[in-house]
Every structure is written in structure tokens, then in C-alpha cells.
Amino acid sequence: NETLMIKNTATIDLNGNMLKSSASRFIRIQNDGTNPMSVNIKNGEIINNTKGGRCVETRSGNINLTLDGVKMTSYGYKDSNNYAQPFTVGGSGNNIKVTIKNSYIDTDYYAIMTFNPAVITLDNTVLNGYTTVYFKPATGSEGSNGTIFNVTNNSVINSVNNSAGETNASSAFQFADTGVSVNIDASSTITAAANKNYQHFFAIGNEVDNAEVCTATVRIDDGATLTA
């Protein structure tokens, strides 16, 4: 299912090149040990437009991942069981730290999806999506409880809804698990745009209009921009 498997500390310099994959999971990062493993991917573009395509995915715990100057694109949404998700905290595990800086993630569905707790920091990075950031509950994984998501240094999260019908409303952030914290600094921007419907900045529960009981903490610094 993957094109490239990384199981050791590594730096991958794309050197300005574009990589394309026909596998559902392009780059898979997995630590089979107990000591932390550091991976740095930088300077290039990764495209995966397959059904449910993932550009980069962690598949275990004990990972310290940095994406620097990387553009990730996935327009592989096909049906209700296969959603494009360029960056995914998948598999099962904890002790995961992700820094995405000077980067751009573009998709027609989930820009970032978490199945496990992680500390994720956006630094001067743009995300485009429908349900742009999705925090999943424990279903075969550890769930997103304990995740800290930081939006910093002029980062932008764009959420665009082109679907018709009230039940197709979505959000920039979707909280489907409890115990998630989102911090948005004063320099950053969150947008929720609806061309045919309405769209939310934040939604709690598996579905926007059928919310389950869960809690989330959102801190928005004075000066941050929210645009609808």
C-alpha cells in the first residue's frame, strides 16, 4: 500500500523535485522500536491523487517528524469510505511530535487527520480542505485524546464547503474525540467559506448536526483572524 517505508532516523531532501504515487499511502513512517525516531522531509512536492490518497503518514508512536518546505496535494476523494487525507497520524501509538513549517497542504477533504495523540505545530503553513483538520476517536487506534494542535507564525487554515444540502456542512476543525487542545496565535488565520451551504470554524462530534458528547479546548490569541 505504500511507495516508501521509513523505519529509521532519516533526512529526505527532495531537492525541489515533485514525487507522485499510485499507492494509497505514499510515504509511511513507522518506528518498530521504543526509542524515539526522527525523520525530516524537506524541499519538494508530494502528490497522491489515488482513492483515499495519503502523502505522508505516521504508523506508530515514538516519532519526531519535521516537514519543511513541502507541498502535499491529494484530490483523491471518491466515495464515503475513501477520503483524501494528505497528512495522517495513523496506525497506533503515542509520543508523536510533528512540526510542519513553510509548507502547503491542499486537498478536497481532510488536510490533516489524527487517529492517535500527537503534538502538531503549524509554522508559516497553509492548509486547504473541506473538513480541514479532523481529530478521530479511538477506533482501532488510540484516538486523538491528548492531542495539542498549535497554529503559529502566519499559518492559514482554509475550510471550503462546495456541497449542497444542510447535512453536508463541515468545519475547519472537527473534534470527534475528547481532550483535544487547539491554540491559534495572533498572526494566524482561520477561514470557513461556503459556496453552496454553510461552514463552521469548529464542530464537535462525528457529524456536525449529530454531535456526540466530547470536550475540546480552543485558545485564540487576540489579533488572530477568523473569516467566514
Side-chain angles (χ1 to χ4, degrees):
N1 288 329
E2 68 277 344
T3 300
L4 174 63
M5 170 77 83
I6 301 173
K7 287 193 170 185
N8 293 288
T9 292
T11 295
I12 299 176
D13 189 345
L14 301 176
N15 198 29
N17 290 300
M18 176 191 296
L19 304 180
K20 293 184 178 181
S21 177
S22 58
S24 60
R25 295 166 178 169
F26 195 162
I27 298 176
R28 177 172 176 168
I29 302 167
Q30 182 170 319
N31 186 354
D32 292 333
T34 57
N35 294 322
M37 183 179 85
S38 296
V39 175
N40 184 3
I41 302 173
K42 60 183 181 179
N43 303 329
E45 185 172 359
I46 302 169
I47 298 174
N48 188 350
N49 287 333
T50 59
K51 192 174 183 178
R54 303 178 184 186
C55 296
V56 176
E57 177 181 34
T58 62
R59 292 295 298 174
S60 70
N62 299 312
I63 291 173
N64 188 342
L65 171 65
T66 299
L67 300 167
D68 187 359
V70 177
K71 181 179 180 180
M72 293 183 284
T73 303
S74 178
Y75 274 79
Y77 169 66
K78 300 296 181 183
D79 57 50
S80 60
N81 295 314
N82 293 277
Y83 299 104
Q85 42 193 14
F87 179 72
T88 305
V89 179
S92 185
N94 51 44
N95 190 26
I96 302 164
K97 181 179 179 182
V98 179
T99 301
I100 306 174
K101 58 184 181 179
N102 308 315
S103 294
Y104 187 90
I105 301 179
D106 191 31
T107 183
D108 52 353
Y109 227 85
Y110 307 123
I112 294 178
M113 178 177 280
T114 65
F115 290 88
N116 299 285
V119 177
I120 301 173
T121 299
L122 304 184
D123 179 348
N124 189 36
T125 288
V126 176
L127 309 183
N128 296 324
Y130 168 56
T131 308
T132 313
V133 181
Y134 199 138
F135 304 108
K136 293 282 285 185
T139 53
S141 60
E142 297 198 12
S144 300
N145 191 340
T147 292
I148 300 172
F149 195 96
N150 302 309
V151 186
T152 72
N153 190 23
N154 298 298
S155 291
V156 178
I157 296 180
N158 294 314
S159 176
V160 179
N161 186 353
N162 291 312
S163 301
E166 182 175 327
T167 58
N168 289 320
S170 195
S171 57
F173 292 92
Q174 179 79 36
F175 300 90
D177 201 359
T178 195
V180 175
S181 297
V182 171
N183 304 301
I184 302 168
D185 81 357
S187 68
S188 297
T189 299
I190 313 296
T191 69
N195 293 330
K196 299 179 181 178
N197 201 324
Y198 63 88
Q199 192 78 336
H200 305 272
F201 292 114
F202 308 99
I204 296 179
N206 281 335
E207 301 294 339
V208 171
D209 299 305
N210 186 25
E212 294 181 353
V213 176
C214 60
T215 61
T217 301
V218 178
R219 193 201 78 220
I220 305 173
D221 288 350
D222 187 26
T225 302
L226 273 67
T227 303

